[in-house]
Amino acid sequence: MKLKSRKLLPLIFLPVAAIAFGGGFWLKHNAVSYGTRTVAVEEDTMGRQYASLKPERSPLDTFFTVFAHLRRYYVDEKDITDQTKLSYGALRGAALYFNDPDTRFMEPKEFAKYRAEIDGTFQGIGATVAVQRVVDPVTSDAMRHELEKLLDRMHQQGEDDADVGITANSITKSYLAVLAPVPGGPADKAGLLPGDRIEYINGKWVLSYNPNLDFLEVVTAWRNKKITRQEYDAAFNKLESRVNESITPGEALELLTSSEKPIKVKVRRNAGNQLVEATIAPGKSELEAATWSDLGGTGYIRIATFSDHTTGLVRSAINTLQSKGVHDFVLDLRSNSRGTRQTMLETLGLFLPKGSVAQVKARQNVDTKSPLTIDGEPVAKGKFVVLVNRGTANLAEVFASALKERAGAKLVGDPTAGDPMAVDSYELPDHSALIYTSGKYFTSNGTDFGGAGLKPDVSVAAGKVADPASDPAVAEAKKVVRAEVTG
Amino acid sequence: MKRRGSIIITAVLGMAFIGSAFVVGYSWDSLTNPPRAVAELREMPERLSLVFGPRKDTGTVLPTVQTYSDAMTQLESRHYQSVDPIKLTYSAISGMMGALNDPYTRFMPPKAWKAMEDDTRGDYVGVGATLDPSPKGAIVARPLPNSPCVRAGIRANDLIVTVDGKNVAGMDLEEIVRMIRGEEGTYVTIGIERTNNSATESLSFKLQRSRVDLPTVEYRVLSGPNKIGYVSLLQFNEKATTMLEDALTELEKKGIKGLVLDVRDNPGGLLTQAIGVSSLFMDNKSVVIQKARDGKEDVSFSIPSSYKPRNYPIAVLINGRSASASEIVSGALRDHKVATLVGESSFGKGLVQSIFPLDDGESISITTARYYTPNHVDINKHKDADGKEIKGLKPDVEVVQSKDYEFGKDETDAQLKKAVEVITSQIGKKS
């Protein structure tokens, strides 16, 4: 059962496995035999033996002890000599503790990919992919009753319900979703849009939440005579084969970012009833950090990622456009989902005077928020409109909200991704890394944009980023900013 | 719907965890003398550099303890969520142990351990049947002799759909068992669906819970021309050797000309009993080899005083649920050419665990040695002549069970039939 790459796979699978394993070999702890060293030990005698081994220890001591035991006793010495492998396992386990999609361990290869994406280089399908968590309220009493029983059983097994996203009143499901496709990249060409939930890959279901819940729903329906026995059998068998043939989100992610063969996906768009099918021809794709053009007197600047080059490119774009007499700007932040906080703030400083641009909360259970500030004088002068979509995520949402709140910029497009969690990385000497949630962003006036995202002032379908000269969303944004100037 | 392997609900029998008791080894040494390595580590972190080398010289190797220690400090101080260092460490330990990819090397949290202990205390009794899981409830795999089940007329392959009026579809087997169990003398009503040919009838039984022991040994002379004895060994408990010996004596008095030793579905038990049982058939021969980390072989020999020549052919019946001690006996009897193995490949539980307790009731289980048959076949898994990986022991004569097999009906038991055939062909060739 034990540990695969489970970055996206919440601990929900553990209790299932634990139950399956329950009654395993280790239970017979009061019968003792070890070759010629066989000793029959009474349980309480054993207890005393145990007690003698129980000095006060820190958690770290416990870790040392387990490590030392493994090093000394584990049957395959070659598996134990690789300390890096054990370290990876430990860090992966530590990350799982948080039950947080943004806290995960990345091996060097994976971390290199992660950093390349910030710089705009993508492999595979050419899109950032994220875990979306959706909390479904439980509406039926029967289901609530079943969930209470399930939780009871988990508690008896020593499992923590926080790990599985279940309470008697809600079920948290995690979906693998396309966050931001690279314009012109494989996913974009195949027609995928930001926010598409990837439910099937190459015909296999992406196991993004505890499948037991689906079983529970079917069983509950039958127990309460909502469906017939035949319907129950059919539903049950269908679920079973779907689960048996599924792939984990970790495997899915690996496939999406490194496959060289065509990938068939089925996605759910806008939580609709229909699945949309697409075939993606994977390959390398590049995202230009920033591009610009002159839309007949209105400046268009697209910021695709906050990488090292972004600030310089945007600065020269502003300068060139202003030298042509432009003083209204469409800032296109669509499908911008990666970057560093430092670059985002520097770039924002080109548009806003010094002061607070957002607030950050560093600890979940502490109410204090501290302001995130920029320094210096802006370069761009004039009116701004910000173009956003469901791929406008995290730092880009901070950027857009700051322009809205500090400079009165209107947001045009779709609602944003609603991802306010600040993510830091802790890099290890071998270039593996722990990625972890280090805080939560709020807008400069303290608004929480988690979940729902930022609502556009002017709604227009803006999923696909196209050539600005012919992109209807850009045209709409231009109209809005022109109206500001003339009005 | 395929069956996922029988779970013998020993709890039903009021005898806890026979069904799940694989041979568990304990290193007595390690329990009484805390390993020196640990003692050294207790002086952390001052000794870190001594034990693991200086921090800067690690190159790309990540020293485990150092790496975890640093990461924990980082996460405790910087993570958005507040950290419970103990739980974080448990999770990291699970991860570290999981990296070894051995399901038996694992971390056991305190509550899980406690729940199992409560279960094993077992003042609960049941109705006397072993059950298989089914999405529709539970399937009666084997009703036990003289149990409330059998007295009431419950049969193998009956599908339990309700317990005390409650629908049990979709429940875990463990949960169904918990519902069936209760105090001795109390009653439980079980709803059954029984399929005969294609007709399904619904039946209801009110049963009084009582103590039922899982039999250790069942034996009889099979019907047929050749007087072949049959012994089923269901578990390797303290009485296994004695009871098997008595059974053999009885069968031999009746003049059997061959023997089927059935360890199908036998999940194992005590290693001493595996040696005892093997000793009934072998004179001072190696039974099993344990190989630990240092590569040193610890050979267990049969007990000469137990041996009696058995002048008849023997077949051992195994299947995918024959594990651990069952595999040790099967391997020994085959390697010393005492018996032919018939049936399906065995489970492949050839690993010895030691259990080490930690602080607050949590403990760790570590695989410390492997079992090999006398001919050095790794019981857990090994490669055959074609380089194909095999889990467990492969029978000499492979035969899958027939689809309409029903426990207790020999005419439906394809594996038993094959064993009889094998023995029959050997009668007279051995003296």
Side-chain angles (χ1 to χ4, degrees):
Chain A
M1 124 211 179
K2 291 227 43 175
L3 293 157
K4 295 156 207 142
S5 166
R6 272 206 312 234
K7 157 214 162 210
L8 302 163
L9 188 63
L11 272 175
I12 49 186
F13 297 101
L14 276 178
V16 184
I19 292 163
F21 217 90
F25 62 95
W26 52 274
L27 305 171
K28 197 168 169 60
H29 61 290
N30 53 353
V32 178
S33 61
Y34 194 76
T36 49
R37 282 160 286 169
T38 299
V39 189
V41 180
E42 293 297 322
E43 204 175 310
D44 54 348
T45 311
M46 198 72 136
R48 257 177 265 140
Q49 293 294 345
Y50 288 0
S52 69
L53 275 181
K54 282 165 66 177
E56 282 297 310
R57 287 197 216 127
S58 74
L60 215 48
D61 283 332
T62 304
F63 187 88
F64 298 155
T65 308
V66 174
F67 173 75
H69 276 71
L70 283 180
R71 294 260 290 172
R72 189 177 160 124
Y73 294 111
Y74 185 70
V75 66
D76 289 323
E77 189 162 16
K78 63 174 174 17
D79 287 342
I80 292 297
T81 46
D82 185 354
Q83 288 206 36
T84 299
K85 188 171 86 178
L86 295 179
S87 296
Y88 286 180
L91 296 175
R92 210 164 262 136
L96 278 175
Y97 159 82
F98 294 94
N99 187 32
D100 163 21
D102 288 329
T103 301
R104 57 202 167 105
F105 175 72
M106 290 179 180
E107 290 191 16
K109 219 176 103 193
E110 203 186 341
F111 186 53
K113 260 189 219 167
Y114 178 83
R115 287 206 295 201
E117 286 186 6
I118 290 177
D119 291 336
T121 304
F122 290 76
Q123 306 291 337
I125 66 163
T128 53
V129 176
V131 174
Q132 281 185 345
R133 289 204 170 170
V134 179
V135 181
D136 283 350
V138 173
T139 47
S140 91
D141 284 342
M143 191 68 189
R144 195 168 298 130
H145 178 67
E146 294 300 330
L147 284 169
E148 276 165 4
K149 283 203 319 206
L150 184 72
L151 290 169
D152 246 19
R153 218 155 58 207
M154 283 167 45
H155 291 152
Q156 277 168 13
Q157 298 280 338
E159 300 292 340
D160 200 340
D161 46 48
D163 296 343
V164 298
I166 309 171
T167 70
N169 297 312
S170 71
I171 297 169
T172 305
K173 296 181 175 178
S174 306
Y175 297 96
L176 197 60
V178 174
L179 189 55
V182 176
D188 185 51
K189 278 186 195 156
L192 295 190
L193 295 177
D196 283 353
R197 283 181 193 164
I198 305 170
E199 300 206 356
Y200 290 86
I201 298 178
N202 293 338
K204 290 177 174 177
W205 184 46
V206 181
L207 194 59
S208 50
Y209 58 94
N210 190 340
N212 270 10
L213 296 172
D214 286 343
F215 285 103
L216 206 57
E217 272 174 42
V218 174
V219 170
T220 308
W222 182 47
R223 278 196 201 144
N224 295 285
K225 303 195 163 55
K226 296 257 166 65
I227 54 175
T228 66
R229 177 57 177 269
Q230 281 72 23
E231 286 169 332
Y232 165 76
D233 282 352
F236 203 104
N237 293 341
K238 197 174 151 199
L239 276 175
E240 194 182 52
S241 57
R242 190 165 81 139
V243 171
N244 286 344
E245 285 153 25
S246 64
I247 59 171
T248 67
E251 290 163 349
L253 196 67
E254 175 65 24
L255 199 69
L256 294 174
T257 54
S258 56
S259 173
E260 285 166 5
K261 289 188 204 132
I263 302 172
K264 278 191 179 148
V265 295
K266 282 186 197 168
V267 301
R268 195 175 296 281
R269 190 161 293 163
N270 301 331
N273 290 327
Q274 291 292 315
L275 289 175
V276 179
E277 287 186 45
T279 302
I280 308 167
K284 195 173 166 182
S285 46
E286 299 273 354
L287 196 59
E288 272 190 82
T291 50
W292 63 274
S293 59
D294 180 353
L295 302 174
T298 297
Y300 169 85
I301 303 175
R302 169 162 166 73
I303 305 169
T305 176
F306 294 107
S307 73
D308 291 348
H309 307 291
T310 307
T311 311
L313 288 171
V314 174
R315 185 194 304 274
S316 70
I318 295 167
N319 286 335
T320 314
L321 284 165
Q322 287 188 150
S323 71
K324 293 176 167 186
V326 164
H327 35 68
D328 52 298
F329 295 89
V330 171
L331 302 179
D332 187 350
L333 274 268
R334 289 178 299 168
S335 299
N336 178 330
S337 63
R338 287 277 189 271
T340 63
R341 182 197 286 191
Q342 184 61 27
T343 302
M344 185 275 291
L345 292 175
E346 283 166 10
T347 309
L348 194 51
L350 301 174
F351 298 93
L352 292 178
K354 66 181 171 187
S356 162
V357 294
Q359 298 185 39
V360 191
K361 197 169 135 176
R363 271 280 152 103
Q364 190 169 32
N365 51 3
V366 178
D367 273 337
T368 326
K369 295 180 197 135
S370 41
L372 201 59
T373 56
I374 53 171
D375 219 356
E377 285 308 306
V379 179
K381 302 200 170 61
K383 291 282 181 189
F384 311 119
V385 155
V386 185
L387 198 47
V388 291
N389 67 5
R390 290 190 170 80
T392 304
N394 201 251
L395 293 167
E397 291 178 284
V398 171
F399 189 98
S401 68
L403 279 167
K404 181 184 161 96
E405 289 178 3
R406 293 277 315 278
K410 285 210 164 98
L411 304 188
V412 176
D414 294 316
T416 60
D419 170 19
M421 304 317 292
V423 176
D424 274 353
S425 59
Y426 168 61
E427 190 177 344
L428 293 143
D430 71 340
H431 305 298
S432 59
L434 258 176
I435 310 294
Y436 64 94
T437 304
S438 60
K440 179 176 175 175
Y441 295 120
F442 294 79
T443 71
S444 62
N445 61 25
T447 306
D448 182 354
F449 59 90
L454 304 167
K455 257 175 67 185
D457 300 290
V458 179
S459 280
V460 54
K464 189 172 170 67
V465 181
D467 178 355
S470 56
D471 187 333
V474 174
E476 182 65 30
K478 182 183 164 186
K479 215 165 77 189
V480 173
V481 78
R482 294 302 317 171
E484 299 256 315
V485 175
T486 52
Chain B
M1 181 79 43
K2 31 174 210 274
R3 292 199 186 173
R4 279 175 221 125
S6 169
I7 299 181
I8 295 185
I9 304 305
T10 53
V12 174
L13 309 163
M15 295 181 62
F17 296 108
I18 298 152
S20 50
F22 295 98
V23 175
V24 175
Y26 282 89
S27 166
W28 182 243
D29 184 46
S30 68
L31 289 176
T32 49
N33 307 308
R36 220 174 57 217
V38 180
E40 280 175 17
L41 285 166
R42 291 234 176 83
E43 292 164 38
M44 305 291 251
E46 291 78 5
R47 298 288 295 271
L48 258 183
S49 60
L50 285 177
V51 180
F52 299 102
R55 175 185 288 240
K56 291 260 161 72
D57 288 348
T58 56
T60 53
V61 172
L62 299 183
T64 307
V65 176
Q66 171 93 59
T67 303
Y68 178 65
S69 162
D70 291 351
M72 191 166 96
T73 309
Q74 176 86 4
L75 291 172
E76 273 190 85
S77 65
R78 307 270 338 261
H79 202 281
Y80 181 60
Q81 296 176 27
S82 49
V83 170
D84 176 340
I86 294 174
K87 283 191 177 170
L88 175 63
T89 301
Y90 287 174
S91 197
I93 289 172
S94 285
M96 172 170 64
M97 299 184 88
L100 293 168
N101 262 328
D102 166 21
Y104 306 109
T105 295
R106 57 190 215 120
F107 174 76
M108 293 172 281
K111 270 198 200 158
W113 178 260
K114 176 119 193 349
M116 296 310 169
E117 265 191 337
D118 288 348
D119 265 359
T120 54
R121 219 162 278 139
D123 287 327
Y124 292 97
V125 294
V127 295
T130 65
L131 305 180
D132 271 348
S134 157
K136 292 153 191 171
I139 295 166
V140 176
R142 180 181 290 201
L144 298 166
N146 295 321
S147 64
C149 257
V150 166
R151 285 197 294 267
I154 290 177
R155 299 185 203 153
N157 286 347
D158 281 353
L159 175 66
I160 298 178
V161 289
T162 62
V163 175
D164 283 334
K166 267 190 155 173
N167 203 321
V168 294
M171 286 188 188
D172 286 337
L173 200 48
E174 281 84 353
E175 193 180 355
I176 299 172
V177 168
R178 218 169 277 150
M179 289 169 70
I180 296 175
R181 286 163 55 189
E183 275 178 46
E184 190 165 6
T186 58
Y187 288 86
V188 59
T189 306
I190 291 177
I192 295 271
E193 273 185 18
R194 181 177 294 167
T195 310
N196 277 324
N197 300 319
S198 57
T200 301
E201 53 178 333
S202 291
L203 303 165
S204 179
F205 297 91
K206 193 177 181 190
L207 306 171
Q208 187 174 27
R209 296 179 175 106
S210 71
R211 250 166 233 287
V212 184
D213 288 340
L214 179 65
T216 306
V217 165
E218 286 175 338
Y219 67 94
R220 62 182 183 273
V221 177
L222 297 171
S223 59
N226 285 314
K227 268 209 162 175
I228 291 168
Y230 170 87
V231 190
S232 156
L233 184 59
L234 286 111
Q235 51 171 329
F236 286 86
N237 64 9
E238 302 79 6
K239 295 185 216 153
T241 306
T242 323
M243 291 184 73
L244 180 61
E245 192 171 15
D246 292 349
L248 291 176
T249 308
E250 286 300 311
L251 288 170
E252 283 167 9
K253 267 189 209 159
K254 291 176 181 165
I256 53 164
K257 299 208 170 57
L259 177 75
V260 178
L261 175 61
D262 188 353
V263 293
R264 287 176 299 176
D265 297 335
N266 182 329
L270 300 171
L271 176 62
T272 48
Q273 294 297 321
I275 296 166
V277 164
S278 305
S279 302
L280 298 174
F281 301 95
M282 308 183 326
D283 187 13
N284 199 17
K285 297 216 166 78
S286 55
V287 175
V288 64
I289 303 164
Q290 291 181 53
K291 218 193 269 187
R293 247 287 271 302
D294 51 15
K296 221 171 68 187
E297 296 191 350
D298 179 358
V299 185
S300 302
F301 285 92
S302 61
I303 308 152
S305 58
S306 302
Y307 173 69
K308 210 186 133 212
R310 316 279 168 191
N311 296 316
Y312 42 79
I314 300 170
V316 178
L317 274 177
I318 55 172
N319 67 9
R321 302 175 209 156
S322 306
S324 201
S326 296
E327 297 177 294
I328 290 172
V329 169
S330 305
L333 263 51
R334 167 161 66 186
D335 285 2
H336 293 298
K337 303 200 173 1
V338 173
T340 311
L341 303 189
V342 179
E344 294 160 276
S345 286
S346 64
F347 181 86
K349 170 68 172 71
L351 300 171
V352 187
Q353 279 78 45
S354 294
I355 295 178
F356 301 93
L358 300 172
D359 292 333
D360 302 315
E362 77 275 23
S363 48
I364 50 171
S365 160
I366 299 178
T367 298
T368 50
R370 284 175 199 284
Y371 287 130
Y372 291 78
T373 71
N375 287 351
H376 288 87
V377 173
D378 184 341
I379 289 176
N380 209 50
K381 55 183 175 196
H382 57 274
K383 291 198 167 127
D384 68 5
D386 305 330
K388 211 179 99 191
E389 194 165 271
I390 293 178
K391 226 174 124 47
L393 300 176
K394 211 177 160 201
D396 303 305
V397 180
E398 205 153 2
V399 49
V400 293
Q401 189 55 286
S402 72
K403 283 203 178 76
D404 43 87
Y405 167 67
E406 194 173 313
F407 176 75
K409 289 191 181 163
D410 288 352
E411 65 274 17
T412 63
D413 191 341
Q415 294 172 332
L416 178 60
K417 278 187 196 163
K418 183 54 107 180
V420 168
E421 205 181 296
V422 167
I423 291 169
T424 307
S425 74
Q426 292 172 350
I427 289 175
K429 288 180 191 160
K430 181 178 172 177
S431 57

